[in-house]
Structure formats: structure tokens, C-alpha cells
Amino acid sequence: MIVLEVRTRRRQEFVNVTHSVAEAVARLGVENGAVLVYSPHTTAAVVIQEGADPAVAADIIARLELLAPTGDPRYQHREGNADAHIKTALLGNDKVIPVRGGRLLLGTWQQIFLAEFDGPRRRELWVKAL
Amino acid sequence: MIVLEVRTRRRQEFVNVTHSVAEAVARLGVENGAVLVYSPHTTAAVVIQEGADPAVAADIIARLELLAPTGDPRYQHREGNADAHIKTALLGNDKVIPVRGGRLLLGTWQQIFLAEFDGPRRRELWVKAL
Amino acid sequence: MIVLEVRTRRRQEFVNVTHSVAEAVARLGVENGAVLVYSPHTTAAVVIQEGADPAVAADIIARLELLAPTGDPRYQHREGNADAHIKTALLGNDKVIPVRGGRLLLGTWQQIFLAEFDGPRRRELWVKAL
């Protein structure tokens, strides 16, 4: 298993980790199979989405903020990041991606993102061959 | 890995692909393990849900449309399908399903769907033994 | 594959199954790899989230109830649990978790939950080595 370190810069942002995951796949020597990209956090998710237009990530973050606003007084969790837990639960923290010929098999428009909802922080992603 | 082709007929719909995935599992010769069903798209997801009553799929689509309406003027992505990206991110594009004795192990009411949010299109699903 | 039985006590609740999954991993003899935790249901999901403060689960349930209220008259599915199908689709029914040295590799704050949305019921979770 390879541990990727990801530095996030804002409270909420998508950080493109496609290149780092592809490198991890090469280092793990996965030839044919799949790879698990796992966020060990409860306020940061893993998402596979379009990377060409950064507006897509911005739209996803903005919509999640409408659905689960930061600081809604109805939250019971008192650490000020209940919204981040909800957003992470909605996007999920584990993604499985096929690998063939030693290469990540992503769709044409797909990129892999760490979705930060309670940054800035130092985050990890765990990459494991399946 | 087997590539399934799925033709969608409407902008938003769930297409039941359970039979095709089961056939792919047989062709892949998976005996005992699991299978990854992967959508290589950013506006079409994979969902495991009830298939007996088509109203369930209709309710999920209608609710997602309330949560992320088509054509909301607040979207920054200018291709007219920001809602489809958001809906796909919420449902996810990868599902892992157990296999035993060469057969997909689904729950009694579970069926596998490609969830189209920006059709009609020709879509693919990638089925990979794990 | 190991089948865990989970008794839920309320219509909507998160049941912490981390200990049972860890035991299943030991019984399966997974040394290094990953494990699939799979809900064979269409109204109960699997979620990995914070377990230290029960308010986090309460906040996720309450927010999902705002997003897809129980008994909304717009639902077409006539069994009274359309909301439970929607909530389950949003959280997902399959999670893959890394295993190393025979132990589940969860993040510091992560716990595994069965998310019940149409209880109380007797539920199953399927735990499968990958």
C-alpha cells in the first residue's frame, strides 16, 4: 500500500490527485486488476469527476454547500464541521478503479480528486492494489 | 475486463443492466470473489437499487432533480450539464458486488442500473473481476 | 464470505458494526488486501464516518431527512419508504476497506456503520475478502 500526502489550501476544494495515483499504481506494480483509492478521513472524500473545466468541481462544492450549509444552527455536532461530515458521507471515501497493462483505466474526462471539506489540512490517501 | 455498451433513450433515466453484468461475470469466469462495475463517464453513475417497482428509480431521479435542478442559473460550468455532474458525483461511478459459485450475489430486491443524467447517449460500463 | 446479522431498533439509525467487521476479517484470514462490506438491501446503506461523537450520525440522518423527507406526497413509490431508497442510493451500499497484517486499516476517526432508513428490521451485511 502506498500513502499519498495531499496538502489542501482552502476549507473546501477538490485537489486533483490523478497523477499521484497513477504513479502509485506504477510503483505498486499492478499489472492487471484494480486499485483502491481510500480516504482515511471523515471530512474529506474521494471523487472521480471531470477535470478539464474547474467549474465542475466548483459547482459540486457550491451545490453541496446549499444542501448542507456550513454552520447551520441545526447541527448537533459541536466542532463546527458537521457539514463536512455530511458532504463526505454523500460523496464517499473509497473508489475502486480498473487497471490494465499497468495503467489506470479512467474514462476520457475522468480525473481523481481528494474532496476537502474541512481544510486547509495535511491529508492522506491510501492506494492499495486489489 | 468486459466492456458493456448501453444505449440510453432519455436525458435522465435508470437502465437496468443486471442481466448484462451477470453475463459478463459468467464470461469472465469469476468463480469466487467480487466484480467491479465501473462507469467511465462523469455524467452517468452506477446504482444498485430496487428494480421491482420502476417508481423507485423515478423517485430517485425526481429527488435529485429537486436537489440539483437542470439549468440552475447558479452553475458556473457552461455546457448545460452541471446538474448531471453533481448527480453522478452523489451516486458514484463504481460499485463492487460479491460473486460466489460463478454468480453475482445481489440482495433479493437489488438490481444494477446505469443512471443516465445527460442522455440520450451511447454509454459504456466496464466489468472487471477482482 | 461472512454474513453478519444486524438488528436495527429504529426507523432511521446508524448501527456501529466496526467490531463485527474486524472479527469477520480475522475469521476470513485476510492478511493483506482489502475487504468488501456490502449491504444486500435497498433501504439500508454502509457508511464510514466518525464514531466518537454520536451527533455526527444524528446530523447526517437529520440532513438526509431534510433532503428527502419521509412521506413526501410527491413520491410515486407506494410502499411509504421511497425516502429510504433515496437515502440509501445517496450513501451507497458497498464499501471497500484496506487490510494489512490481518487488520482493518481505518483512519483514526473512522468507524463502519450500517445506515438503517426503514427499520426496525433484521439486516445482513456481507463481508468478503478481495
Side-chain angles (χ1 to χ4, degrees), chain B residues 15-126:
Chain B
V15 179
N16 192 326
V17 296
T18 314
H19 187 68
S20 306
V21 173
E23 267 185 357
V25 167
R27 283 168 58 202
L28 286 165
V30 192
E31 192 47 40
N32 197 30
V35 76
L36 168 65
V37 181
Y38 187 88
S39 162
H41 308 289
T42 56
T43 54
V46 184
V47 190
I48 298 174
Q49 258 298 327
E50 178 178 321
D53 179 4
V56 171
D59 285 342
I60 295 171
I61 290 170
R63 181 57 46 168
L64 287 170
E65 182 64 24
L66 287 174
L67 300 180
T70 306
D72 191 304
R74 287 170 288 188
Y75 299 137
Q76 295 177 35
H77 183 52
R78 294 270 66 95
E79 292 175 26
N81 62 359
D83 67 298
H85 289 286
I86 296 165
K87 291 160 180 166
T88 299
L90 289 172
L91 295 188
N93 68 305
D94 64 322
K95 294 289 163 193
V96 178
I97 304 159
V99 172
R100 191 161 57 178
R103 280 199 327 121
L104 267 183
L105 280 184
L106 291 166
T108 312
W109 300 101
Q110 288 184 328
Q111 301 274 287
I112 310 165
F113 297 91
L114 178 131
E116 172 67 83
F117 293 113
D118 193 29
R121 296 211 200 185
R122 252 188 61 220
R123 298 292 198 176
E124 290 186 0
L125 287 179
W126 298 348

Side-chain angles (χ1 to χ4, degrees), chain C residues 53-103:
Chain C
D53 179 2
V56 171
D59 285 340
I60 295 172
I61 291 170
R63 181 57 44 168
L64 287 170
E65 183 64 24
L66 286 175
L67 301 180
T70 307
D72 191 303
R74 287 169 289 190
Y75 299 136
Q76 294 176 36
H77 183 52
R78 293 271 65 95
E79 292 175 26
N81 61 359
D83 67 299
H85 289 286
I86 296 164
K87 290 159 181 167
T88 300
L90 288 172
L91 295 189
N93 68 306
D94 64 321
K95 293 288 163 194
V96 178
I97 304 159
V99 172
R100 192 162 54 177
R103 282 198 328 121

